[in-house]
Amino acid sequence: MKLRLIGHDDRYAMEQLQLCLFPQWPVELTQSPFDGDGAVSSLHRGRKWLTATAVLRLNGRTARATKRLPLEKETYPLRRRILQQSYYLAAMAFLDAPPPWGALSGVRPTKLTTRHLLNGGSRQSADRLLADTFFVTPARRQLCLDASEAAVQAKSLLSEKDISLYIGIPFCPSRCAYCSFVSQTTGSSGALVEPYLEKLIRELALTGELTRRSGCRVRTVYMGGGTPTTLSAGQMTRLMQAVAASFDLSGLLEYTVEGGRPDTLDLEKLRAIRAQGCGRMSINPQTMNDAVLRAVGRPHTAAQTVAAYHQAVQAGFASINMDLIAGLPGDTPASFADSLEQVLALGPSNVTVHTLALKKGAELFEKRGGLPSQQAVSQMVDGAAQRLRAAGYSPYYLYRQKYMSGSFENVGWCRDRDVCLYNIYMMEELQTIVSVGGGGMSKVMVSPTRLERFHNPKFPGDYLRQFDGVLEKKRALFALVDALAQKGEPHASGTQ
């Protein structure tokens, strides 16, 4: 579907909104007039008003909408807002029902309401902002506001110069059909694991030294991937001992390891992880339906998931997360609801409900047969929300992705306020995140609205070959942290 911008260059916001509202048509940006289907988003600056106009043509029909803003009130966020509003209002002429997130197109809708609350706004005024300005549906407004209130509470635990540490393990036993994460299977790259660990431990040592010199305090540690528990019990012990030797963890609020695939877990490994100070484990079945598991290339069974969960409890984990994905091939609202019931019967402290996102690089992006309809995915997601609330869970973080089925969301649910702080800090961008390992991306809070990013090489082989550059980037990262501290900029905070 063609998209032409006139009088502005806010390409990203408009592309993402068009993709959310019309996901069946790829966006084709053009600078020239065109005939046929497509959208034109224009911005006109008059003597008193800034006027945004959207014109959409689809299947021989045309719809137009206009929003405007007094010139004296113009800011970039407000200018972008009237562009989104005009496009959304024109698009509604072609949509069967209001989309769940209205005119919001970003991956972090809660950032808007979290900032509103942190700046003194009330839940009621934040709700009006979502409803009147962005046309968000009531159910999504409630999700958003619940998550933002959890974020405000999580931020209250932070002080200046607090950071979180992410440790990336870009290996998996095999690749799932829906996966687009940068990782390599141990079947094809197992020889890289030991050299990778040696370099990772060296990066941890330097990062720990720089952390101490800068006076930073590590508040959460999150080990993700890939599948971190692809490592053996001995390798995991060695890695976690290196973390403890490199960093002062006395101020730690939370330590998470993604167990991920149940078939990578056993009692010995879980006990080894627990013995090194990790208090939170994630065990991710994605579905408890064996036929659906086979359809997405996950070789474990639902019975193995149950066994892994009980072993994690036996090893001493009281905080356990379990992931499910709505929209997998072969799944139905009834079978998804059954998966959720099986998970709830285990009693995890966290349940994360993802919506399938068809990402480039994933097998399912090319082979989309058998996927549930948008209506079916809606039943899965909405039914899960109702059931989780009834079971005493509340949403504490959420985010969206491109190419997501039905333009829904991923939501983390918890009982008894047992949130994953790292997920909140990372997704809400409330503090500096320092990442080590392949595929890691560090984010330094330069100001309440601006981040500086430092990327590690994505693939294990590139990480090994470019390791000297990895260490130089860490030195540059902490040089920036120190410079901000000298200027009095609180890099650990996303708001003032």
Side-chain angles (χ1 to χ4, degrees), residues 294-356:
R294 290 192 296 272
V296 297
R298 286 176 75 88
H300 66 87
T301 63
Q304 285 176 289
T305 298
V306 173
Y309 184 91
H310 289 311
Q311 288 173 336
V313 172
Q314 187 178 350
F317 287 97
S319 184
I320 301 175
N321 171 72
M322 301 186 77
D323 283 8
L324 293 172
I325 299 178
L328 292 175
D331 215 354
T332 66
S335 59
F336 182 81
D338 180 67
S339 288
L340 179 59
E341 289 301 326
Q342 292 185 56
V343 164
L344 290 177
L346 295 171
S349 56
N350 283 195
V351 177
T352 305
V353 178
H354 295 270
T355 303
L356 177 66

Side-chain angles (χ1 to χ4, degrees), residues 235-292:
Q235 290 170 330
M236 186 66 76
T237 297
R238 179 153 49 99
L239 174 58
M240 296 180 73
Q241 286 176 343
V243 174
S246 301
F247 295 89
D248 177 2
L249 301 181
S250 61
L252 207 62
L253 296 168
E254 175 184 275
Y255 197 145
T256 300
V257 171
E258 272 193 12
R261 291 258 299 263
D263 51 326
T264 66
L265 298 171
D266 56 42
L267 187 56
E268 177 193 9
K269 192 179 298 184
L270 288 161
R271 281 175 168 163
I273 294 169
R274 184 71 187 93
Q276 297 304 316
C278 173
R280 185 176 184 274
M281 173 59 58
S282 188
I283 300 172
N284 304 332
Q286 316 303 12
T287 174
M288 297 295 282
N289 185 304
D290 286 348
V292 177

Side-chain angles (χ1 to χ4, degrees), residues 35 148 204 402 441 484:
D35 296 322
S148 284
L204 283 165
K402 292 181 183 178
M441 181 176 69
L484 292 170

Side-chain angles (χ1 to χ4, degrees), residues 33-154:
F34 59 88
D35 296 322
D37 292 349
V40 177
S41 170
S42 60
L43 191 67
H44 173 71
R45 191 178 302 276
R47 294 179 60 186
K48 295 184 178 180
W49 296 93
L50 190 65
T51 304
T53 302
V55 180
L56 273 68
R57 292 193 298 269
L58 290 173
N59 301 320
R61 296 169 54 206
T62 300
R64 175 190 299 266
T66 298
K67 295 292 290 187
R68 63 181 188 170
L69 174 73
L71 283 177
E72 66 268 19
K73 294 185 178 180
E74 181 185 357
T75 62
Y76 171 67
L78 291 179
R79 184 171 68 246
R80 180 180 58 189
R81 188 173 295 179
I82 63 171
L83 288 167
Q84 292 173 303
Q85 289 174 327
S86 62
Y87 189 104
Y88 172 86
L89 292 171
M92 280 302 296
F94 303 98
L95 300 177
D96 295 331
W101 287 101
L104 282 178
S105 59
V107 300
R108 295 178 174 89
T110 51
K111 284 185 69 175
L112 180 73
T113 45
T114 298
R115 271 34 176 194
H116 183 86
L117 295 176
L118 287 170
N119 288 326
S122 65
R123 183 179 175 111
Q124 291 73 24
S125 60
D127 185 69
R128 288 196 299 271
L129 174 66
L130 292 176
D132 299 342
T133 303
F134 294 102
F135 319 110
V136 179
T137 60
R140 265 60 196 183
R141 298 203 306 269
Q142 184 180 10
L143 275 179
C144 200
L145 293 168
D146 287 348
S148 284
E149 288 182 338
V152 170
Q153 185 173 11

Side-chain angles (χ1 to χ4, degrees), residues 6-28:
I6 300 175
H8 71 94
D9 60 356
D10 207 331
R11 171 179 174 174
Y12 179 79
M14 304 314 295
E15 281 185 322
Q16 293 309 301
L17 183 56
Q18 181 163 301
L19 189 62
C20 287
L21 298 178
F22 302 103
Q24 67 272 38
W25 291 310
V27 178
E28 180 186 344

Side-chain angles (χ1 to χ4, degrees), residues 199-473:
K199 289 291 195 295
L200 177 58
I201 288 171
R202 285 180 56 190
E203 187 186 2
L204 283 165
L206 175 65
T207 305
E209 179 185 344
L210 294 170
T211 299
R212 289 191 299 275
R213 287 183 187 175
S214 295
C216 295
R217 178 173 64 161
V218 178
R219 300 296 268 162
T220 76
V221 175
Y222 192 100
M223 190 181 299
T227 304
T229 46
T230 300
L231 302 180
S232 68
Q235 290 170 330
M236 186 66 76
T237 297
R238 179 153 49 99
L239 174 58
M240 296 180 73
Q241 286 176 343
V243 174
S246 301
F247 295 89
D248 177 2
L249 301 181
S250 61
L252 207 62
L253 296 168
E254 175 184 275
Y255 197 145
T256 300
V257 171
E258 272 193 12
R261 291 258 299 263
D263 51 326
T264 66
L265 298 171
D266 56 42
L267 187 56
E268 177 193 9
K269 192 179 298 184
L270 288 161
R271 281 175 168 163
I273 294 169
R274 184 71 187 93
Q276 297 304 316
C278 173
R280 185 176 184 274
M281 173 59 58
S282 188
I283 300 172
N284 304 332
Q286 316 303 12
T287 174
M288 297 295 282
N289 185 304
D290 286 348
V292 177
L293 286 169
R294 290 192 296 272
V296 297
R298 286 176 75 88
H300 66 87
T301 63
Q304 285 176 289
T305 298
V306 173
Y309 184 91
H310 289 311
Q311 288 173 336
V313 172
Q314 187 178 350
F317 287 97
S319 184
I320 301 175
N321 171 72
M322 301 186 77
D323 283 8
L324 293 172
I325 299 178
L328 292 175
D331 215 354
T332 66
S335 59
F336 182 81
D338 180 67
S339 288
L340 179 59
E341 289 301 326
Q342 292 185 56
V343 164
L344 290 177
L346 295 171
S349 56
N350 283 195
V351 177
T352 305
V353 178
H354 295 270
T355 303
L356 177 66
L358 291 173
K359 291 298 193 74
K360 292 180 181 178
E363 182 182 336
L364 280 182
F365 187 83
E366 301 298 334
K367 303 175 182 178
R368 307 184 190 188
L371 293 179
S373 66
Q374 178 174 336
Q375 182 181 9
V377 175
S378 176
Q379 290 178 274
M380 295 178 194
V381 173
D382 293 341
Q386 294 173 11
R387 181 66 184 94
L388 284 160
R389 286 189 187 277
Y393 291 79
S394 58
Y396 70 91
Y397 92 109
L398 67 88
Y399 66 101
R400 302 170 68 200
Q401 292 174 278
K402 292 181 183 178
Y403 311 110
M404 181 170 273
S405 296
S407 192
F408 295 114
E409 64 284 318
N410 304 322
V411 183
W413 298 80
C414 69
R415 289 186 313 180
D416 304 320
R417 297 186 177 180
D418 188 7
V419 304
C420 176
L421 291 169
Y422 171 83
N423 281 339
I424 294 175
Y425 295 149
M426 180 269 298
M427 197 54 61
E428 295 280 352
E429 296 177 339
L430 292 174
Q431 66 167 177
T432 287
I433 307 291
V434 178
S435 297
V436 298
M441 181 176 69
S442 298
K443 300 179 182 181
V444 177
M445 300 299 305
V446 176
S447 76
T449 57
R450 188 167 75 86
L451 297 169
E452 187 77 23
R453 293 173 171 83
F454 296 81
H455 297 265
N456 274 4
K458 293 182 178 181
F459 293 99
D462 293 337
Y463 176 81
L464 296 175
R465 286 187 291 271
Q466 301 171 32
F467 187 69
D468 289 344
V470 170
L471 300 185
E472 286 305 310
K473 284 185 180 180

